[in-house]
Amino acid sequence: MSGAPLIQLSGIRRAFTHGAVTSEVLRGIDLTIHAGEFVAIVGQSGSGKSTLMNILGLLDHPSGGTYRFAGEDVSTLSRDGQAELRREVFGFVFQRYHLLPGVSARANAELPAIYAGVDGKARQRRATALLERLGLGGRLDHRPDQLSGGQQQRVSIARALMNGGEVILADEPTGALDSASGAAVMDLLRELAAEGHTVILITHDPAVARIARRVVEIRDGVIVRDSGNGEAVHPAPAPARRPDRHAPALFALTEALRSAFAALAGNPFRTALTLLGIVIGTASVIAMLAIGEGTRRQVLARAAATGTDWIVVMPDNDNPALPGGRMTLADAQALAQLPNVKSVNPGRWTTVTLTAGAVTLRSEAFGTSTAYPETFRWRTHRGSFFTPDDERAAAPVMVLGAAVAARLFPGVADPSGRYVLANGIPFLVTGVLEPKGPDERGMDRDDRVVLPLSTASSRLTGSTDLGGIQLTVTDTARLTQTKGHVRETLLARHRMEDFFINDMASRIAELGETQSAMAGLLAVIASVSLLVGGIGVMNIMLMSVTERTREIGIRMAVGASGRDILGQFLAEAVILAGAGGLAGLALGLAVGVGAALALDLSVVFQARAIALALAGAVGTGLLFGYMPAGRAARLDPVRALARE
């Protein structure tokens, strides 16, 4: 006796249901095969022999009965456990070869070792040695379409032996070959059996079956003849040593990368259209965040240019039920006595018509005090500011904003000493304010004129009421406390809260929050493109799974687990999305730079925002690639192999 059987089938049945019709292909198979046997299973087409082979190789599951391999009930194994058994024990030789079409003979032979975790150099050495032994040393780098049928079948035999091939399952291995090639393949199978491999040959040809040591005939789903007793003829030498493992039996990243780039190159136009959404989405996020951040910093910089050490108090006339809402010089004088108040600058705005020569324009006039340059950090660019004497005398003098000066006196570098009519009243220009540009609201701060408050009250407005009071503080750490003192003082004077108080620090914080919210909103809107791109990735991956179903079946047959297939297609989705993300990064940088140059926008690229956009692109690929990858991992190996 040769010991316990390697394969033991008891009452194996297999039925298929098509709609309301159920057909039973195997009707209770009892079969025992020992290690080292060379068994031929023969039968006419439709007899159930190929179904039996699929069950023996764990590509299919019986509807009933028990299948024990080396004493273990294989039905207790998970899908991945059965995949491991196919990878480590079984080697398949198919009638139609089932080689991956886009890779070389050596890469096809290496495939089982990839899933076994054998490193690249060891795989190549093993595959090369096997192919050379099979007479394909000069065809290592040839693709299947460059090989004859007999050569392709020898490649499939090399693949079957890659991880040792303890059990060789050959399904009609000579069916698609000419007689000479078929004879050569059978000689190889005979050699493998002599070396100790258990060889199970499926054929309909009695002449081919006679080469085996034992013939089992199957007809209408039952065994009708068995020439052997289920024992090896003689103790056989151990099969060839399997290649050393250098890593866990996980899908190699290099194979995922190769497969992903092959998918990219296989249909570049479709891939480009699919990635367009990811590219546009990533570019939009990067560009919008850069423009939003640049705008935020620019607005805050403009707001902070006047300092953060001041408080502004303005009358509040919004409530018609309040009779107050007036602010006077007496209020300003009272506030000047408060602790921590460095200076007080009362002011009032009014609109004036300015005329110089043939030029007439409308502008804003601000009546204020000599503390204006210090309070607003706004010096004169040409000439000088008006003096305390001008303020006391209500002198008809004014300082022009840079934009007003340029329009009233085009081509004049310094209009100081010239006269301007304001509402028909002549005013002497004493100087020009330094240019400031737009404020945080986009208003042109240079479109103004500044004059003594006393002059504005007596010559332009006819009222001594103030439009507001601006206070600078000595210690900004006590700014909140000072705001409280201001409020208490004005409440005591007015006996009602007909005013409101603001400070630049709070205003800058509010502006920062507003601008950040706007930038975030822009990023969210731009992210919609990433969502669209993710749907595109899902579509192309679903198409890829459909188009590559047979390839998935081949990979499963040589030992790929569901986890391996899931990892492969997820890797492809991530690589596709990552490629789109990188292209989107380049486009986003180009758009941002173009906006800065062409539209004079402030653009700030942040590493965090770029990393976020790229992570979003990759995450989108991962999220939307999971469903197609899961579908691929759940495919039935037999049905997948049968797909054209």
Side-chain angles (χ1 to χ4, degrees):
M1 296 290 292
S2 59
L6 182 66
I7 293 172
Q8 187 172 17
L9 306 181
S10 301
I12 292 295
R13 311 181 76 86
R14 184 66 171 105
F16 296 93
T17 301
H18 304 281
V21 179
T22 299
S23 57
E24 196 168 27
V25 178
L26 299 181
R27 303 169 182 271
I29 298 292
D30 295 317
L31 180 64
T32 299
I33 299 175
H34 284 73
E37 280 199 273
F38 185 179
V39 180
I41 298 176
V42 297
Q44 298 301 313
S45 296
S47 61
K49 59 185 186 302
S50 293
T51 301
L52 179 58
M53 190 210 76
N54 291 332
I55 290 175
L56 288 172
L58 305 179
L59 296 175
D60 197 7
H61 308 282
S63 304
T66 304
Y67 174 14
R68 294 184 180 278
F69 184 87
E72 182 178 10
D73 187 348
V74 299
S75 66
T76 63
L77 299 175
S78 65
R79 280 175 59 97
D80 286 355
Q82 293 187 6
E84 182 180 359
L85 197 58
R86 287 196 300 271
R87 180 174 64 243
E88 299 296 331
V89 175
F90 292 103
F92 292 90
V93 181
F94 298 101
Q95 177 181 355
R96 298 173 59 190
Y97 324 129
H98 285 322
L99 302 177
L100 298 183
V103 299
S104 67
R106 177 161 46 198
N108 267 288
E110 287 180 28
L111 196 57
I114 292 174
Y115 297 105
V118 180
D119 70 51
K121 291 183 178 179
R123 292 199 310 263
Q124 288 185 6
R125 287 195 300 268
R126 171 76 171 165
T128 300
L130 287 170
L131 290 170
E132 287 177 347
R133 173 191 171 185
L134 297 176
L136 294 176
R139 298 288 188 270
L140 298 178
D141 297 318
H142 286 57
R143 297 188 307 273
D145 59 359
Q146 298 171 318
L147 301 174
S148 68
Q151 290 171 334
Q152 291 185 62
Q153 195 63 288
R154 278 182 276 169
V155 172
S156 72
I157 292 173
R159 182 181 63 191
L161 296 172
M162 188 65 195
N163 287 346
E166 180 179 338
V167 178
I168 303 294
L169 294 169
D171 184 13
E172 300 282 6
T174 63
L177 303 178
D178 59 57
S179 57
S181 298
V185 167
M186 291 309 301
D187 287 342
L188 286 172
L189 293 178
R190 188 187 294 110
E191 288 180 21
L192 295 175
E195 292 173 2
H197 298 271
T198 302
V199 179
I200 302 174
L201 171 67
I202 308 296
T203 182
H204 69 279
D205 187 346
V208 171
R210 280 195 291 271
I211 298 175
R213 301 173 189 153
R214 175 184 173 192
V215 177
V216 175
E217 184 179 354
I218 185 170
R219 184 184 304 159
D220 296 328
V222 296
I223 294 176
V224 297
R225 182 172 65 89
D226 187 345
S227 67
N229 58 5
E231 298 183 9
V233 175
H234 55 77
R241 188 177 66 87
R242 298 171 183 170
D244 294 334
R245 275 36 168 188
H246 298 278
L250 298 176
F251 182 76
L253 177 61
T254 53
E255 176 66 11
L257 288 170
R258 185 210 63 77
S259 182
F261 286 121
L264 278 167
N267 199 327
F269 183 70
R270 185 180 72 184
T271 301
L273 289 178
T274 301
L275 295 182
L276 193 59
I278 297 288
V279 173
I280 293 175
T282 305
S284 299
V285 170
I286 290 173
M288 291 303 165
L289 286 177
I291 293 172
E293 178 62 18
T295 303
R296 187 186 75 85
R297 292 189 185 186
Q298 188 178 55
V299 167
L300 294 181
R302 288 173 179 170
T306 56
T308 58
D309 60 348
W310 51 266
I311 300 168
V312 65
V313 185
M314 300 186 71
D316 185 2
N317 295 315
D318 291 340
N319 191 344
L322 293 176
R326 296 181 61 223
M327 200 156 289
T328 64
L329 280 172
D331 291 327
Q333 292 166 357
L335 296 179
Q337 305 305 313
L338 294 176
N340 197 39
V341 173
K342 182 179 180 182
S343 65
V344 173
N345 187 63
R348 181 183 177 92
W349 286 99
T350 188
T351 304
V352 294
T353 301
L354 303 174
T355 303
V359 180
T360 299
L361 56 86
R362 299 277 288 175
S363 185
E364 297 291 328
F366 186 48
T368 185
S369 71
T370 53
Y372 181 91
E374 179 183 358
T375 302
F376 289 92
R377 291 171 173 80
W378 205 337
R379 309 297 177 182
T380 52
H381 182 57
R382 296 282 188 269
S384 61
F385 207 76
F386 57 79
T387 66
D389 290 339
D390 294 328
E391 190 174 4
R392 284 190 292 272
V397 295
M398 67 171 50
V399 181
L400 306 181
V404 174
R407 292 166 63 192
L408 288 176
F409 302 100
V412 178
D414 185 3
S416 301
R418 301 200 179 196
Y419 282 87
V420 172
L421 294 178
N423 292 349
I425 302 172
F427 278 76
L428 175 66
V429 177
T430 64
V432 179
L433 293 170
E434 61 186 2
K436 288 284 189 176
D439 62 11
E440 67 275 7
R441 297 168 298 176
M443 305 296 290
D444 188 359
R445 291 181 291 182
D446 298 323
D447 185 11
R448 71 176 63 190
V449 296
V450 181
L451 64 158
L453 177 61
S454 56
T455 304
S457 299
S458 61
R459 297 177 184 270
L460 297 180
T461 66
S463 171
T464 59
D465 287 351
L466 303 178
I469 304 170
Q470 185 157 319
L471 303 84
T472 57
V473 299
T474 303
D475 183 5
T476 55
R478 297 163 56 197
L479 188 141
T480 301
Q481 182 183 37
T482 304
K483 283 176 64 177
H485 291 157
V486 170
R487 182 174 180 275
E488 292 170 2
T489 301
L490 292 178
L491 280 175
R493 291 180 58 82
H494 293 202
R495 300 183 183 280
M496 66 180 68
E497 194 164 349
D498 58 347
F499 56 87
F500 69 87
I501 305 172
N502 202 355
D503 64 273
M504 200 59 196
S506 299
R507 190 175 177 188
I508 289 174
E510 292 172 1
L511 283 171
E513 292 176 2
T514 301
Q515 292 297 320
S516 295
M518 288 298 295
L521 179 61
L522 289 174
V524 169
I525 294 172
S527 298
V528 173
S529 296
L530 272 178
L531 180 64
V532 175
I535 295 172
V537 169
M538 183 171 64
N539 285 338
I540 194 174
M541 292 306 298
L542 285 171
M543 291 178 64
S544 180
V545 170
T546 301
E547 293 172 352
R548 297 162 59 193
T549 298
R550 193 165 72 92
E551 175 196 331
I552 295 169
I554 293 170
R555 293 181 183 276
M556 288 180 167
V558 300
S561 65
R563 194 167 52 233
D564 293 330
I565 300 299
L566 179 70
Q568 174 185 350
F569 280 86
L570 273 182
E572 290 186 21
V574 169
I575 291 169
L576 283 169
L582 291 175
L585 168 61
L587 180 60
L589 294 175
V591 169
V593 172
L597 295 177
L599 304 177
D600 196 27
L601 294 176
S602 178
V603 177
V604 176
F605 294 104
Q606 294 179 289
R608 182 171 60 89
I610 291 174
L612 179 66
L614 290 176
V618 173
T620 298
L622 189 65
L623 176 66
F624 285 91
Y626 189 84
M627 188 184 80
R631 176 178 293 186
R634 292 190 298 271
L635 284 174
D636 182 83
V638 171
R639 293 183 180 178
L641 282 169
R643 182 72 64 88
E644 293 294 337

